Amino acid sequence: MKPLLYGAPLSPFVRKVRLLLELKEVSYDSKMIIPYATPEEYKSLNPLRRVPALTLGEHVFADSAVISHFLDAHYANKQLIPNDLFLRAHCEWLEKYADYELSALTTFTVFSQRILNRISGKPTDEGAVLDAVNNKLPPLFDYLESQLNGLFFINDEITLADISIASQLISYEHANESVSKEKWPKLARFYQNFTQHSVVEQIILSEKTMLNKILRS
Ligand SMILES: N[C@@H](CCC(=O)N[C@@H](CS)C(=O)NCC(=O)O)C(=O)O
């Protein structure tokens, strides 16, 4: 029985689950659900009508963190959440930081203003974008910079913390912004290394193709 992932690939939370599934080499099916335009019946999978949701047989899961933690435990190969309780708590903290703090700016401000508004024919509030890029994101990037010693956030292996943070930075890059190498060299190197992974590269390529198609239509 394969998991079925509901959502739109350009959502960073859906991307996070896709990356986890693909890095763990779990075969899955997907169903496109467009955020803010979810069909009525989607409420039975996620009453908040947010993406992603995931089903496995009769079991239903919502929220990228809940889904990711379930999948990592259910498919025990290539574990992406550390077993050690202290490392696990740190991984969960960084995941939460990405999902709630970074996302408010990278996704719900910069990506949303520059990309979603353009798609829906609304004007971009470039002032809000520049405030996020120049004033609000730098302290968050400073913190992430302070948490890195090598190419990964936890020890020398890819974890859900890396996936969650990179998922937000991919949305930032889709909106034509990037982490400055001069200001945050470790974070920029982390992102460059993460996105060079063949699985990640493929996902980004498919998203860019999709995004270009949507923006041209
Ligand atoms: N904490 C949730 C956030 C999910 C989320 O906010 N998804 C957005 C798309 S990026 C959405 O579906 N928004 C539609 C809405 O809020 O109605 C998660 O990690 O899954």
Side-chain angles (χ1 to χ4, degrees):
M1 189 193 340
K2 282 191 201 172
L4 174 55
L5 175 63
Y6 294 78
L10 290 170
S11 155
F13 305 102
V14 174
R15 176 183 305 126
K16 178 179 148 190
V17 176
R18 283 182 80 199
L19 284 168
L20 177 129
L21 284 163
E22 300 211 8
L23 288 165
K24 286 175 78 72
E25 296 175 19
V26 174
S27 164
Y28 65 101
D29 292 315
S30 318
K31 187 168 165 53
M32 177 68 104
I33 294 288
I34 313 237
Y36 307 102
T38 52
E40 194 54 32
E41 60 274 16
Y42 185 68
K43 267 205 307 205
S44 65
L45 300 182
N46 183 346
L48 304 175
R49 296 176 90 152
R50 296 193 186 124
V51 297
L54 180 132
T55 54
L56 185 63
E58 84 247 35
H59 302 283
V60 178
F61 308 88
D63 191 280
S64 68
V66 173
I67 295 169
S68 300
H69 286 245
F70 167 76
L71 290 172
D72 198 50
H74 187 69
Y75 301 101
N77 64 315
K78 294 198 187 182
Q79 231 181 311
L80 292 166
I81 299 172
N83 273 331
D84 176 90
L85 282 184
F86 296 96
L87 295 180
R88 174 180 293 237
H90 191 52
C91 183
E92 286 170 353
W93 158 246
L94 291 170
E95 178 188 15
K96 194 172 159 66
Y97 192 81
D99 287 359
Y100 291 93
E101 307 304 321
L102 272 187
S103 78
L105 300 161
T106 50
T107 297
F108 295 116
T109 305
V110 180
F111 182 84
S112 177
Q113 284 295 334
R114 288 228 178 113
I115 304 295
L116 297 186
N117 279 15
R118 189 167 151 200
I119 293 171
S120 56
K122 290 190 203 143
T124 298
D125 182 347
E126 200 54 34
V129 171
L130 293 180
D131 185 39
V133 171
N134 297 327
N135 304 321
K136 293 186 172 150
L137 273 167
L140 272 68
F141 288 168
D142 288 345
Y143 173 70
L144 292 177
E145 181 80 4
S146 79
Q147 295 299 301
L148 276 164
N149 282 315
L151 292 171
F152 302 97
F153 276 91
I154 294 169
N155 290 344
D156 293 329
E157 270 174 353
I158 199 160
T159 64
L160 186 58
D162 303 308
I163 296 173
S164 308
I165 292 162
S167 289
Q168 293 300 328
L169 296 180
I170 293 170
S171 291
Y172 196 53
E173 187 186 300
H174 284 329
N176 300 321
E177 291 295 340
S178 59
V179 174
S180 158
K181 274 192 205 128
E182 286 70 39
K183 291 185 189 148
W184 301 284
K186 292 182 195 167
L187 185 59
R189 200 156 65 94
F190 152 79
Y191 183 67
Q192 190 190 20
N193 180 64
F194 186 90
T195 52
Q196 274 168 356
H197 191 297
S198 58
V199 160
V200 184
E201 232 171 23
Q202 274 312 307
I203 287 192
I204 295 180
L205 191 67
S206 68
E207 289 184 11
K208 283 190 172 159
T209 308
M210 176 182 287
L211 188 56
N212 287 336
K213 230 185 249 171
I214 299 172
L215 290 175
R216 274 201 308 267
S217 65

